[in-house]
């Protein structure tokens, strides 16, 4: 069964990290399927039934996005609100996401050292992604460790980004 | 100077708590100004310049919204991404929000006891709102304690909601 990547970048063509990661993902068409929210739903109207079918057909799901203001891009937040419905994702009969594995792949502008209690952000990435962890837990699924690339606002080198793309693939296969 | 309420409810007319809170806020037109994101920007195109002027004109700002999936409504997340620009909100010259006070007023569907390490959510509200706290801190502003009403999905009584509306007003004036 393939890994489903929910890719949410508001402007992928002008991104460096997420665009590079997408190119790497596309090298594994037998193992990975990519669903790009901003391309699929440019009018912000998410096809909930189609989305739920896609989720039902996969057990390993990665949300890939740039971390802006310590949170999801807005369309990815709308995806949770629209797709994770009562009676499907939660509630007595809402068991469709139960026991699936959810990971998160983040490009982060700031430097790694700033995501420490002593750093300028003063919160860790694990603290920042609490809404993701609580949501996955609420639907009875499993939260995987996060994958992150730091410093994307500080002119990361092409070599560093290339390496992160390979690390990202390894992360996906390690938890498949 | 008035308190600016940024109200973000995707369907305020069908809400119980946020609608009641709004009615209470409207009793204080000399002290409180309400800016409703979903009414003002139905096409999701936020008027950034207007929004920045509004923020510059107020020092006490409350974000009011229902907590869905432990996070912002999507248009409120877009508000952060669009309005908190480099050179205005952050960066060397981006000091327009510095020293302002930001609060958060949440209606929460689940019960209070579930927002404990031992509860079904397993995270506290303070942990869930880390993205808000990190964002306010990043722009050099002050994070106020949060205000919350719990159990709105469990048929909260009209009396409880009435009381919460009065408590909300007290919260606003206490930190003004």
């Amino acid at each position: 069964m393939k890994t489903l990547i929910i890719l949410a970048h508001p402007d992928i063509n002008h991104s460096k990290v997420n665009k590079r990661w997408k190119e790497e993902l596309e090298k594994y068409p037998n193992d990975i399927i990519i669903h790009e929210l901003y391309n699929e739903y440019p009018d912000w109207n998410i096809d909930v039934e189609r989305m739920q079918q896609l989720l039902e057909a996969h057990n390993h799901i990665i949300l890939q996005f740039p971390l802006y203001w310590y949170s999801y891009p807005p369309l990815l937040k709308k995806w949770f609100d629209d797709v994770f419905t009562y009676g499907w994702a939660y509630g007595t009969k809402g068991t469709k996401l139960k026991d699936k594995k959810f990971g998160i792949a983040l490009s982060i502008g700031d430097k790694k050292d700033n995501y420490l209690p002593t750093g300028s952000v003063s919160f860790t990435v694990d603290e920042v992604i609490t809404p993701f962890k609580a949501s996955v837990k609420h639907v009875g699924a499993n939260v995987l460790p996060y994958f992150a690339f730091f410093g994307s606002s500080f002119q990361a080198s092409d070599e560093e980004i290339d390496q992160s793309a390979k690390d990202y693939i390894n992360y996906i296969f390690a938890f498949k």
Side-chain angles (χ1 to χ4, degrees), chain A residues 12-29:
Chain A
I12 187 89
N13 293 327
H14 290 91
S15 86
K16 287 190 74 172
V17 177
N18 279 272
K19 191 179 174 190
R20 178 67 189 81
W21 286 2
K22 182 185 161 192
E23 288 166 5
E24 197 70 18
L25 294 172
E26 287 171 340
K27 295 179 184 171
Y28 302 86

Side-chain angles (χ1 to χ4, degrees), chain A residues 78-153:
Chain A
K78 192 170 188 290
W79 180 86
F80 277 96
D81 293 356
D82 291 2
V83 178
F84 282 27
T85 53
Y86 178 82
W88 183 81
Y90 68 105
T92 316
K93 293 178 179 172
T95 57
K96 299 292 192 196
L97 297 174
K98 196 166 176 296
D99 297 332
K100 291 181 187 291
K101 294 183 284 185
F102 280 82
I104 197 168
L106 308 164
S107 66
I108 298 181
D110 211 343
K111 295 168 186 170
K112 191 170 184 176
D113 286 352
N114 287 333
Y115 281 85
L116 293 172
T118 51
S120 64
V121 175
S122 82
F123 297 100
T124 65
V125 173
D126 255 311
E127 289 175 304
V128 166
I129 64 171
T130 305
F132 166 73
K133 294 192 285 186
S135 299
V136 172
K137 193 172 174 295
H138 191 71
V139 299
N142 302 301
V143 183
L144 300 179
Y146 69 84
F147 175 81
F149 178 72
F150 293 88
S152 55
S153 301

Side-chain angles (χ1 to χ4, degrees), chain A residues 7 18 23 36 42 45 50 75 83 93 117 131 134 143 159 165:
Chain A
L7 199 169
N18 279 272
E23 288 166 5
E36 277 194 86
N45 287 315
R50 178 182 171 216
L75 188 54
V83 178
K93 293 178 179 172
V143 183
E159 288 73 24

Side-chain angles (χ1 to χ4, degrees), chain A residues 5-9 12 22 26 34-41:
Chain A
I5 312 285
I6 305 294
L7 199 169
H9 195 298
I12 187 89
K22 182 185 161 192
E26 287 171 340
I34 309 170
H35 192 77
E36 277 194 86
L37 293 190
Y38 280 88
N39 281 354
E40 295 284 345
Y41 312 111

